[in-house]
Amino acid sequence: MRYFVFASHGTFADGILNSLELITGKHDNVWTINAYINEKEDIKDQIAAVVNRIAAEDELVVVTDIFGGSVNNEFMNLLNNKNIHLVAGLNLPLVIELVTMSVIEKDTKALIKRALENAKSSIQYCNLELDKLNEDDEF
């Protein structure tokens, strides 16, 4: 089984999950970690609780908000486990691609690579795109 965790500073991860489920429906294999919103909850404990939920043969794809941020860095410590995949740059196009294509793509590395490529192409400066369209119309 493949599981996903969205992990962020504050409640961003919950917001992304809410938007994902609004678009694609409920997913029982997607969880969130909202770090630093409760001073009594340690990020290491939150991570351990998630990791302990999966079986040894399961895969866990973790998507964190900021590369090099404290949440991402805590997950970096787990990468000696080959069943854990870590991606930084949590955004809605990325997680839609990961979760929806997960049913079709059985190779997790290929899934992540494809999702990253497609998510990058969704980031656009719309004013510039409109300018390009207007230039094309002039010819």
Side-chain angles (χ1 to χ4, degrees):
M1 179 78 179
R2 184 183 293 144
Y3 295 93
F4 297 90
V5 173
F6 308 153
S8 68
H9 298 79
T11 60
F12 181 55
D14 274 351
I16 289 285
L17 178 58
N18 180 274
S19 295
L20 172 71
E21 290 182 341
L22 179 73
I23 296 167
T24 66
K26 179 89 172 122
H27 300 279
D28 294 332
N29 64 330
V30 181
W31 308 315
T32 61
I33 291 178
N34 299 289
Y36 312 117
I37 59 171
N38 180 347
E39 62 188 49
K40 293 181 182 182
E41 274 189 308
D42 183 54
I43 183 69
K44 291 177 185 177
D45 294 337
Q46 290 175 288
I47 292 170
V50 167
V51 171
N52 290 334
R53 289 177 73 177
I54 64 169
E57 65 276 5
D58 292 335
E59 288 188 293
L60 181 64
V61 178
V62 180
V63 187
T64 61
D65 54 356
I66 303 171
F67 178 72
S70 57
V71 175
N72 184 261
N73 287 344
E74 287 298 331
F75 277 102
M76 291 285 288
N77 296 323
L78 303 178
L79 293 185
N80 58 337
N81 180 334
K82 298 300 180 197
N83 289 351
I84 296 177
H85 305 268
L86 180 59
V87 178
L90 181 61
N91 66 73
L92 191 55
L94 174 63
V95 299
I96 289 172
E97 184 83 15
L98 285 171
V99 173
T100 60
M101 295 309 296
S102 182
V103 178
I104 298 167
E105 180 59 67
K106 300 305 175 197
D107 181 319
T108 301
K109 289 181 181 181
L111 170 69
I112 293 169
K113 183 178 177 187
R114 177 181 173 178
L116 286 170
E117 289 169 1
N118 290 339
K120 285 177 188 176
S121 70
S122 74
I123 299 171
Q124 298 290 323
Y125 178 27
C126 297
N127 296 52
L128 184 58
E129 294 303 313
L130 185 60
D131 290 346
K132 287 180 187 176
L133 285 174
N134 289 336
E135 286 175 11
D136 289 344
D137 287 344
E138 293 175 7
F139 290 107

